[in-house]
Amino acid sequence: MSDVKSIRSYLKIFKQLGGLIVPLSLVILVGTAILLQPSFLSINNVQDILTQAAPLALVVLGQAFVILVRGLDLSVASLMASAAVLATAFNAASDAMIPVIFLVTIVASAGVGLINGLLVAKRNVSPFLATLAMMIVLQGIRFYYTQGAPSGSLPEGFRVLGAGRLAGIPVNMLVFFFFFCILGWLLHKSSFGRKIYITGGNPKSANLVGINADRVTITCYVICSVMAGIAGLFLVGFVGTVDNWVGRSYEIDAVVACVLGGIMLTGGKGTLWGAATGALILILIFNIVIILGLPVQAQLIIKGIIIIFVAGLFSRSTQH
Amino acid sequence: MAYSKSRYLVRRFQLDPSLIIVILLLSIVVISGFVLSDRFGTTRNFMNVLEQSSGLGFASIGQAMVVIVGGIDLSIGAVVTASTIFMAAVVDLHPGLMIPMIFGTLLFGAMIGFCNGYLTIKTGVHPLVVTLGTASILNGSVLIYTLQPTGGVPYWFEEFAYGRIWNVPISGLVMLSCFALTWLFLRYFQAGRAFYAVGESPEAARLSGIQSSRVILLAYSASGFFAALAGVYFVSRTGVGDPRIGDPITLASITPVILGGLILGGGKGNVLGVLLGVILISLLGNLLNYMNISTFIQWVIQGVIIIIAVSVYVDKGEKL
């Protein structure tokens, strides 16, 4: 009995901490990492972690928008790989082509997001199925185009974008920060952001107060797909080679990061700040697994345990 | 006239209107099969397709039961994988345990399903997140144990997958009887009817005296059980435990469920529709193979079919 009581009191502490769970777990993780490996905070390692985290964090920013309007986007990983394959299709050598590649990718990704959004908002298809189907379709088109083995090359500049550093700060982290500011302003400061929260809270009442809920939902899907497309280009710059599975499992990781960061799958609750922290937490966990000298596969097990545990904690602390 | 006639058909055969599309697609595939290929319309070919579709069939029954109670099971593929490894590894060490291990593996799957259900109920976390977590844990454990196909079973065990009784594959017969039993259970048993009540509204079901949590536990355990049965089938087919064999099964098991007219969110649908969905997917793959169409294009077609199916059905307001 006393066990149950002590668990209850722990839960109570968590409830009181509320919004502090995310930053607190971040501090605990960093603390553990430093204890395990004193060189954890060395500039090199921090730079490495940030470089690894940036592509995932870019995807998470978009995924957060979709989850906030009660959606889910499972097509992001497939879209990332498709963007990478699309980039090699230019077979460009000069860095002057980079803006063109980005522009084409963004337009194509926006198209994908538009289809996802239309299916979900206008046809009332469940987001899970709409984006699942989109994932399979993109995968099929990509493999058919590459016939299983991608060829073609990327301009040298991609390497700089994906893995380069500017005054010691990873370039892709700077790009992430740029998007974080823009999207953060959009979500938390602009009137459109309020519309997103209202739509996510209750689409019907959003319609009643004169918000075009369908349009808000579709916009969120477009934002998510565009972010995924951009993240794909940065990830391929980081990895250095294109294959058909660039970004594999990022769709799951992005959802997990959002959940870890306190964004509710039921929509309408959570912050972009939380989502970004969630991405960082996930990458830190992966990093700690490596520091501990565990096999890479242990990342999967630990990820699974953390998903269930943290999601349970959040649903408990908000339910009552 | 045509309208009233179709209404009559719907009422006369208690045909779920949502089944019309899968029947329509099935007839298109069968007719074009007869027209386009002279090898398609043979008993031999149909029996082969029945034999090959069994694995997908088993997995889909479990998925269907979980979807009817309003959940979703993304750990099916991981359970399939884990049970192939579990069975092949143990039988390899103790060949005498072949028969008990069949039941042991099924029990193993049911237990994992039970854990999924228990966590869903106790934590209040979305089943999507819970089953994703258990899938991650299972996959990680399997991959730590082995990275390549391992273990083995006695040669005679391939009879389960390849054996024939009066020219009908045994695995196909087992699959058909599983579908029939599940259909009978869900339609004529009180506990089965409760599945639909819980899927429609767990709260209303609880108020009318149904123990919702038991029904949900039963559904997830059944899902794990059938996933393990699919695993047993794959062991029989390949003779080994394969750490990657279940990967495509999770999402593949959702397609027939959706085609069969079940709705994510629960409370509706007929498992016989799911059987039609399994047959449709298998015959379509078979036909496209005869037509020498690349697997990659087959993916695109599969995705488009999901989109067509879900945008024709009117989805329930509640989304996943």
Side-chain angles (χ1 to χ4, degrees):
Chain A
M1 272 319 274
S2 65
D3 279 357
V4 176
K5 252 184 193 165
S6 64
I7 289 172
R8 285 231 175 98
S9 61
Y10 277 125
L11 275 177
K12 215 178 228 174
I13 295 171
F14 269 117
K15 265 179 240 169
Q16 283 159 356
L17 289 175
L20 283 178
I21 297 178
V22 177
L24 211 65
S25 45
L26 198 59
V27 171
I28 295 172
L29 276 176
V30 174
T32 333
I34 295 173
L35 280 180
L36 291 169
Q37 179 88 24
S39 66
F40 180 81
L41 274 188
S42 71
I43 293 177
N44 261 328
N45 196 41
V46 172
Q47 282 173 336
D48 282 347
I49 290 177
L50 290 180
T51 313
Q52 282 169 32
L56 178 63
L58 283 171
V59 182
V60 167
L61 289 184
Q63 188 73 264
F65 274 79
V66 170
I67 296 181
L68 278 175
V69 291
R70 297 188 173 190
L72 193 67
D73 193 341
L74 295 180
S75 65
V76 285
S78 198
L79 183 55
M80 286 171 83
S82 304
V85 167
L86 183 64
T88 52
F90 286 89
N91 215 350
S94 94
D95 288 350
M97 280 300 283
I98 292 180
V100 181
I101 292 176
F102 265 85
L103 197 69
V104 173
T105 305
I106 289 172
V107 171
S109 312
V112 170
L114 189 67
I115 298 174
N116 281 339
L118 284 173
L119 281 172
V120 171
K122 296 292 182 194
R123 286 300 321 165
N124 213 14
V125 175
S126 93
F128 182 88
L129 291 177
T131 56
L132 171 69
M134 181 55 82
M135 171 183 116
I136 302 172
V137 169
L138 286 175
Q139 185 180 317
I141 295 174
R142 183 171 76 239
F143 271 81
Y144 184 70
Y145 173 75
T146 59
Q147 286 302 319
S151 56
S153 63
L154 289 168
E156 277 300 303
F158 264 90
R159 197 83 191 116
V160 178
L161 288 178
R165 272 153 207 178
L166 197 70
I169 304 169
V171 175
N172 56 7
M173 209 62 207
L174 289 173
V175 174
F176 162 76
F177 190 68
F178 169 73
F179 280 108
F180 181 67
C181 291
I182 293 184
L183 293 178
W185 174 82
L186 187 68
L187 187 61
H188 297 299
K189 297 286 174 211
S190 74
S191 65
F192 181 71
R194 297 315 307 161
K195 287 183 189 170
I196 291 177
Y197 278 102
I198 296 170
T199 308
N202 188 338
K204 275 184 194 141
S205 63
N207 273 327
L208 290 178
V209 296
I211 293 169
N212 188 337
D214 285 356
R215 195 181 292 169
V216 173
T217 307
I218 293 170
T219 315
C220 286
Y221 277 93
V222 172
I223 292 175
C224 180
S225 293
V226 169
M227 291 313 293
I230 294 173
L233 294 184
F234 278 95
L235 185 62
V236 78
F238 174 65
V239 178
T241 53
V242 181
D243 76 303
N244 273 314
W245 294 114
V246 175
R248 194 172 199 180
S249 92
Y250 266 49
E251 74 275 53
I252 304 295
D253 287 354
V255 176
V256 172
C258 285
V259 173
L260 288 180
I263 295 190
M264 295 282 152
L265 285 179
T266 42
K269 280 203 188 93
T271 61
L272 209 56
W273 167 246
T277 324
L280 195 57
I281 291 177
L282 202 59
I283 296 287
L284 272 178
I285 293 168
F286 291 166
N287 207 276
I288 289 174
V289 170
I290 303 292
I291 291 178
L292 281 172
L294 295 173
V296 182
Q297 300 94 306
Q299 285 184 348
L300 282 172
I301 300 179
I302 293 172
K303 187 163 79 180
I305 294 170
I306 286 178
I307 296 170
I308 297 175
F309 181 70
V310 175
L313 218 56
F314 270 113
S315 79
R316 270 295 148 89
S317 61
T318 51
Q319 251 173 17
H320 305 291
Chain B
M1 187 59 198
Y3 177 70
S4 64
K5 196 165 184 181
S6 68
R7 278 286 288 271
Y8 167 77
L9 277 176
V10 166
R11 212 181 286 167
R12 174 71 183 80
F13 297 103
Q14 293 183 319
L15 214 59
D16 195 332
S18 55
L19 285 186
I20 287 171
I21 187 149
V22 68
I23 294 173
L24 200 72
L25 286 169
L26 199 55
S27 11
I28 293 175
V29 169
V30 171
I31 291 169
S32 40
F34 273 101
V35 175
L36 291 169
S37 165
D38 51 347
R39 283 170 302 175
F40 178 83
T42 56
T43 324
R44 191 188 148 88
N45 183 46
F46 284 134
M47 289 305 149
N48 276 338
V49 172
L50 185 62
E51 173 195 301
Q52 287 158 9
S53 64
S54 304
L56 180 62
F58 294 134
S60 307
I61 301 178
Q63 187 70 269
M65 292 177 95
V66 172
V67 168
I68 287 174
V69 297
I72 191 156
D73 192 346
L74 294 187
S75 69
I76 285 184
V79 177
V80 170
T81 306
S83 26
T84 64
I85 300 279
F86 180 54
M87 184 168 179
V90 174
V91 173
D92 201 27
L93 291 175
H94 313 280
L97 288 178
M98 185 66 237
I99 301 285
M101 268 312 286
I102 296 175
F103 297 99
T105 309
L106 296 179
L107 186 68
F108 166 78
M111 268 160 50
I112 295 172
F114 185 87
C115 292
N116 278 331
Y118 185 80
L119 286 168
T120 310
I121 296 165
K122 285 297 165 191
T123 60
V125 176
H126 200 291
L128 194 90
V129 178
V130 171
T131 54
L132 213 59
T134 44
S136 193
I137 296 172
L138 281 175
N139 275 329
S141 317
V142 163
L143 288 174
I144 284 183
Y145 178 72
T146 177
L147 285 173
Q148 54 255 346
T150 179
V153 289
Y155 192 66
W156 59 264
F157 187 56
E158 72 162 24
E159 277 298 303
F160 174 53
Y162 295 112
R164 303 277 164 119
I165 299 176
W166 301 303
N167 206 20
V168 182
I170 294 174
S171 49
L173 283 176
V174 175
M175 175 188 77
L176 291 176
S177 27
C178 283
F179 267 106
L181 288 174
T182 312
W183 180 74
L184 283 174
F185 171 74
L186 289 175
R187 199 174 173 86
Y188 294 109
F189 282 70
Q190 205 177 359
R193 301 299 309 165
F195 273 57
Y196 290 97
V198 171
E200 192 63 45
S201 162
E203 191 56 23
R206 197 183 63 79
L207 290 174
S208 55
I210 294 170
Q211 283 185 304
S212 296
S213 49
R214 279 197 191 175
V215 174
I216 293 173
L217 279 178
L218 183 60
Y220 280 95
S221 310
S223 174
F225 174 87
F226 282 115
L229 187 55
V232 171
Y233 165 80
F234 284 122
V235 171
S236 160
R237 215 176 145 76
T238 61
V240 290
D242 183 342
R244 282 271 164 227
I245 199 157
D247 287 356
I249 306 287
T250 305
L251 298 180
S253 71
I254 295 172
T255 315
V257 168
I258 298 311
L259 288 174
L262 270 66
I263 285 171
L264 293 187
K268 284 208 181 75
N270 184 337
V271 260
L272 294 186
V274 178
L275 175 60
L276 290 181
V278 171
I279 294 174
L280 169 63
I281 292 292
S282 311
L283 279 180
L284 183 67
N286 181 253
L287 173 64
L288 293 175
N289 280 340
Y290 275 134
M291 290 165 66
N292 271 333
I293 289 178
S294 114
T295 322
F296 310 144
I297 294 293
Q298 294 188 21
W299 289 344
V300 178
I301 294 174
Q302 197 188 346
V304 171
I305 284 183
I306 298 179
I307 293 181
I308 292 174
V310 288
S311 34
V312 171
Y313 300 154
V314 181
D315 233 338
K316 192 165 137 180
E318 212 173 313
K319 287 181 185 176
L320 201 62

